[in-house]
Amino acid sequence: QKEVEQNSGPLSVPEGAIASLNCTYSDRGSQSFFWYRQYSGKSPELIMSIYSNGDKEDGRFTAQLNKASQYVSLLIRDSQPSDSATYLCAVPNSGGSNYKLTFGKGTLLTVNP
Amino acid sequence: NAGVMQNPRHLVRRRGQEARLRCSPMKGHSHVYWYRQLPEEGLKFMVYLQKENIIDESGMPKERFSAEFPKEGPSILRIQQVVRGDSAAYFCASSSGGYNTEAFFGQGTRLTVV
């Protein structure tokens, strides 16, 4: 059973702060990792993908991957109230079924003005 | 560049009726996935399809649920004889490739069984 674990939160940060979202996964063979943002009542929106160990930056978002520790994180710099949403970590299965995403239950982030 | 299109956005069915959910993938995408999101639960994989082929339906309940992706037209997720426990958000996603590629989600269909 592939597992993806996230802190459910809620995580509350003041506007302008750095929000740090964490995710661990059980499948050692996973090769790619995705972060989705989901506003309440809306669909998941892909915001970051990362494939190699280290950091990947895109605007205010930085994804960090450590395959040895089976850990992936998402940092949001200069957090804005519009960043308030649930953030979902998604990991494809390894092997022949790596089209199948296993999602964490998500971390609810609230950015306070 | 239209994204993944799902309809209807909201669907209300009485117990025992059939529900049909439709999904048109993003232009250029030939891989379609259906996920279900139950209240307070994460997204769960249901089925993976390519044109005219079901590749993996391991996440589909054994009874009452079926999916297809015909040569022409949208992918269809069909739920027969719906029960209250089928109430959920059903999301379709598409990708350009089946392996480790980015999947983009539609707006979802929120099914309510009364």
Side-chain angles (χ1 to χ4, degrees), chain A residues 22-56:
Chain A
N22 304 316
C23 171
T24 59
Y25 58 94
S26 64
D27 188 347
R28 282 196 169 277
S30 295
Q31 296 297 312
S32 53
F33 307 86
F34 305 105
W35 283 99
Y36 287 84
R37 176 176 63 198
Q38 187 174 28
Y39 293 110
S40 180
K42 303 295 184 183
S43 64
E45 174 191 6
L46 180 66
I47 56 171
M48 285 288 281
S49 56
I50 186 166
Y51 303 91
S52 304
N53 278 329
D55 294 359
K56 178 183 177 183

Side-chain angles (χ1 to χ4, degrees), chain B residues 11-19 64-65 79-88 90 110-114:
Chain B
L11 182 62
V12 179
R13 284 287 178 265
R14 296 185 184 279
R15 281 178 293 171
Q17 291 185 318
E18 178 179 288
R64 302 187 297 108
F65 285 71
I79 311 173
Q80 295 178 290
Q81 300 175 332
V82 296
V83 301
R84 289 228 170 109
D86 296 333
S87 295
Y90 292 83
R110 278 149 186 85
L111 173 66
T112 302
V113 179
V114 297

Side-chain angles (χ1 to χ4, degrees), chain B residues 6-8 11 13 18-24 32-37 44-49 54 56-57 59-61 63-70 74-80 82 86 88-93 108-111:
Chain B
Q6 287 188 252
N7 66 81
L11 182 62
R13 284 287 178 265
E18 178 179 288
R20 279 184 178 244
L21 288 62
R22 289 176 290 278
C23 169
S24 296
V32 167
Y33 318 85
W34 286 92
Y35 285 80
R36 178 165 66 175
Q37 189 170 40
K44 301 293 185 186
F45 169 84
M46 299 182 74
V47 62
Y48 164 38
L49 310 104
I54 298 174
D56 182 345
E57 57 182 347
M60 292 273 273
E63 298 178 350
R64 302 187 297 108
F65 285 71
S66 62
E68 62 176 4
F69 190 13
S75 175
I76 305 288
L77 179 67
R78 182 183 179 204
I79 311 173
Q80 295 178 290
V82 296
D86 296 333
Y90 292 83
F91 291 100
C92 171
T109 293
R110 278 149 186 85
L111 173 66

Side-chain angles (χ1 to χ4, degrees), chain A:
Chain A
Q1 179 75 10
K2 317 295 183 184
E3 292 184 349
V4 176
E5 299 288 341
Q6 296 181 253
N7 291 330
S8 61
L11 173 65
S12 183
V13 301
E15 184 174 355
I18 295 175
S20 178
L21 304 159
N22 304 316
C23 171
T24 59
Y25 58 94
S26 64
D27 188 347
R28 282 196 169 277
S30 295
Q31 296 297 312
S32 53
F33 307 86
F34 305 105
W35 283 99
Y36 287 84
R37 176 176 63 198
Q38 187 174 28
Y39 293 110
S40 180
K42 303 295 184 183
S43 64
E45 174 191 6
L46 180 66
I47 56 171
M48 285 288 281
S49 56
I50 186 166
Y51 303 91
S52 304
N53 278 329
D55 294 359
K56 178 183 177 183
E57 186 175 319
D58 184 0
R60 295 187 294 111
F61 298 101
T62 299
Q64 300 175 316
L65 174 60
N66 183 327
K67 289 184 180 179
S69 300
Q70 295 174 244
Y71 173 90
V72 58
S73 66
L74 180 70
L75 301 178
I76 306 175
R77 291 183 300 283
D78 188 23
S79 295
Q80 301 296 309
S82 59
D83 295 327
S84 298
T86 296
Y87 289 81
L88 305 172
C89 175
V91 181
N93 290 1
S94 60
S97 64
N98 56 8
Y99 46 78
K100 186 186 300 186
L101 294 173
T102 298
F103 282 84
K105 290 189 176 181
T107 298
L108 177 61
L109 171 67
T110 301
V111 180
N112 302 306

